[in-house]
Amino acid sequence: TYERELDLFRKHRPYGEDCFPRHTGRGRLRKFIEDQIINTFGEANTRLLDVGCGNGLLLMEMAESERVTFQFLQGIDYAESAIDVCLAYQRKKLLKNQEQARTVHEKATRPRIHGISFKHMDFLDNSLETKSFEVVHDKGTLDAMYLSSEENLGLYMRNLASVVADRGLFIITSCNLTKEELLGLFSPPVFPSAKLLDELSHRSFTFGGQKGSAVTTLAIELTGGLPPA
């Protein structure tokens, strides 16, 4: 739990892990996201939303990327304890930056990690501005909505269509849905346009003569409509 992760961190333990790291460790996923942003928007000034940001470490590593820069990074999670962990990690990294600057007798610069906002929020109760993010990332939240109810899934998709910019980038990692099942979720009128751009390869397995993967990660170009409530 995030309460345990925060307790261990306060006892000077290392930063926590991300979910299902064997398949998509932050390093591989970060590079994949960077590649898709560069290919779609270039290197600078995109706004990125992480839905279900967990402990926030992916966003913090994205903020420190040497390949792309961001206008704004927003992490949201329905678990308040997750945001507590995010803020604790963020404070630690900010202090480390200041200490390193003092060590080399230089004025501490404003670190990129300052440009991240973490917010306790249920995406189903979306209060974010319309078309406010060129890039939306999800690793686990869509899975939870898919398994919960059609109503929750529908609300999630409408809120995604609301916040993503036209021809925006949606990067989704799922451990429940195949590529075909994921792509089938993006249809009119909620999404007038959905185009698969790329897929991150994962370790495959064979069962019953069929080859598959336990995890699917896709980059999809989306144009959201104005869905009915």
Side-chain angles (χ1 to χ4, degrees), residues 21-160:
R22 277 194 311 120
H23 302 284
T24 44
R26 287 192 304 274
R28 289 189 73 229
L29 182 57
R30 184 182 69 246
K31 183 179 184 302
F32 181 75
I33 295 173
E34 290 171 343
D35 288 344
Q36 304 312 311
I37 291 173
I38 291 170
N39 292 340
T40 306
F41 304 110
E43 299 176 358
N45 295 326
T46 52
R47 298 165 296 176
L48 187 152
L49 171 67
D50 193 3
V51 179
C53 62
N55 60 24
L57 287 174
L58 176 64
L59 271 187
M60 294 181 211
E61 292 182 5
M62 293 300 302
E64 296 171 339
S65 170
E66 296 181 356
R67 301 179 64 205
V68 295
T69 57
F70 295 91
Q71 179 181 337
F72 184 63
L73 292 144
Q74 173 79 68
I76 62 172
D77 203 291
Y78 79 98
E80 189 170 8
S81 55
I83 300 303
D84 290 340
V85 173
C86 291
L87 295 175
Y89 286 175
Q90 188 179 33
R91 285 192 295 270
K92 177 72 171 181
K93 287 179 176 289
L94 288 170
L95 287 172
K96 183 178 180 180
N97 175 273
Q98 294 168 356
E99 290 169 359
Q100 289 174 339
R102 283 196 296 269
T103 299
V104 296
H105 306 291
E106 292 180 356
K107 184 178 179 180
T109 57
R110 182 177 176 85
R112 293 180 182 179
I113 202 167
H114 238 310
I116 308 174
S117 173
F118 292 109
K119 182 177 182 179
H120 174 221
M121 192 186 96
D122 187 342
F123 191 56
L124 298 187
D125 298 323
N126 175 40
S127 59
L128 300 170
E129 292 184 13
T130 301
K131 308 296 183 186
S132 51
F133 295 95
E134 288 84 16
V135 185
V136 179
H137 170 259
D138 182 310
K139 187 179 179 185
T141 303
L142 177 56
D143 279 351
M145 298 303 100
Y146 183 86
L147 294 173
S148 81
S149 70
E150 288 188 11
E151 180 182 359
N152 284 345
L153 177 61
L155 184 54
Y156 174 100
M157 301 303 281
R158 290 194 295 271
N159 288 343
L160 174 60

